[in-house]
Amino acid sequence: MKKPYAKIKGPVFVLVVLVLLAACSGGDGAKGPAQAPEAAARRTELNGTLPGFSSWQEVLSAARGGSVRWYLWGGSSAINDFVDKQYGEVLARDYGITLVRVPVADTREAVAIVMAETEAGKQSGGAVDLIWINGLNFYTLRQAKLLYGPWAESLPNAALVDWENPSLRYDFGVPVDGYESPWSSAQFQFIYDSARMDEAKLPRSYRELDAWIRANPGRFTYVAPSGGAFQGTRFVKQALYELSGGYEQFLGPWNQALFDEKAPALWSFLNAWEPYLWRQGKTYPASENELHQLFANGEVDFSITLATAGAGPSIAAGLMPQSSRAYAFRSYMIGDYNYLAIPANASNKAAALVLANLILEPDRQALQILPDYGFGLGYAVDMRKLSDADRALLEASLTKLGPAAADAKSLRDSFAPDLAPESQAAIEKGWEARVLRN
């Protein structure tokens, strides 16, 4: 039986694919792009109705003097520092709110707390005020009716979000319906070393990648789509999109019968690669981080990222050569958003709303793009909805990404949405049975 992951020698850097982290900290809250003159105070009116509140001023008054306990993945010092300084210091200074960052190893921990409290009859005064969430975790709480809302489209800064964008309106195929607010965006990209590869000869589709792999045996591998490694699942899912004629047929509620019809061609395609893969496909990297190590060591010619900053954060962290570059295929590069949700039994919904609104401020959105200040993920606001001054803030950040980032137009043109939560398990189980153990 093939091993699902490679045991790669050397130090293991703690990274999560969702966030290709910068080596430096989030920076001082007073630094970064200059805030537009009318910034924080200019949007003071609700864009709709917030359950339990009649005005934004009422929200601000209820939140002042309290704290907001934000449960989020805590494995990155860069993200932790960014949250504490770029949000925590502003909340304390401008709104009289104390941010309590509660680190978790997995978002499921926060979900379990909310569910356990509710089962115990705790309908208010819960431990969790805000969760960094998406995908299956959102689906779990939404199905159980354990989320406060709808609220996201009513925030003052909700006017800056394109709620008609299908990739934002659906979280892994699940309608958001105002129960979570976007924080940042991310999209699948490949990374290559420009010092040893010609950009003009890079594969730009899975069929071109197939030819490249056969012509360069041993120089390619991908993250095993198992054990919750969603980056590997996306790599395989994108191949499914191309081989089956597009993603549109899979949108909406999960259609297992359609997947079962289309998947055999996918498994055959991937199995045909194995003699030409790194270690002949007998083992696969278990995470993006392990793939980064293989790439940095020169054992393979491609790695991956989801960061708007491309290879920049990994270069800054010393994980890749300075000549590393990100790029996209012509089609089917899956992208999505990171969201925030408020449990129905949260102790301080008002403070959670203020934080969610602050996160959508254009100056905070501009900072999170930069590896020097955040973690290289994309913005969640719509450029078309910003004032000239606010748009200039984001554009200034984008121009600082440098050559390590993929071309913005290629990302936009190749964008594809992810599918219903059930697709994750379907890909994992199918790949393990039909490719890993084949």
Side-chain angles (χ1 to χ4, degrees), residues 208-219 276:
E208 290 181 12
L209 178 61
D210 176 71
W212 189 95
I213 290 171
R214 294 169 186 271
N216 298 272
R219 303 299 301 170
Y276 308 96

Side-chain angles (χ1 to χ4, degrees), residues 297-318:
N297 293 341
E299 295 187 56
V300 297
D301 289 325
F302 293 94
S303 192
I304 57 174
T305 180
L306 275 78
T308 295
S314 291
I315 293 173

Side-chain angles (χ1 to χ4, degrees), residues 15-28:
L15 291 179
V16 163
V17 144
L18 245 186
V19 286
L20 283 175
L21 307 175
C24 47
S25 69
D28 183 80

Side-chain angles (χ1 to χ4, degrees), residues 190-194 295 310-311 315 320-327 402-406:
F190 293 93
I191 293 177
Y192 71 100
D193 188 344
S194 62
F295 174 76
I315 293 173
M320 289 183 181
Q322 292 286 331
S323 50
S324 301
R325 302 288 183 264
Y327 85 104

Side-chain angles (χ1 to χ4, degrees), residues 317-351:
L319 304 180
M320 289 183 181
Q322 292 286 331
S323 50
S324 301
R325 302 288 183 264
Y327 85 104
F329 282 0
R330 285 184 290 270
S331 303
Y332 306 126
M333 297 286 95
I334 293 177
D336 63 5
Y337 287 81
N338 297 303
Y339 297 88
L340 307 169
I342 302 172
N345 71 341
S347 294
N348 199 337
K349 296 182 179 71

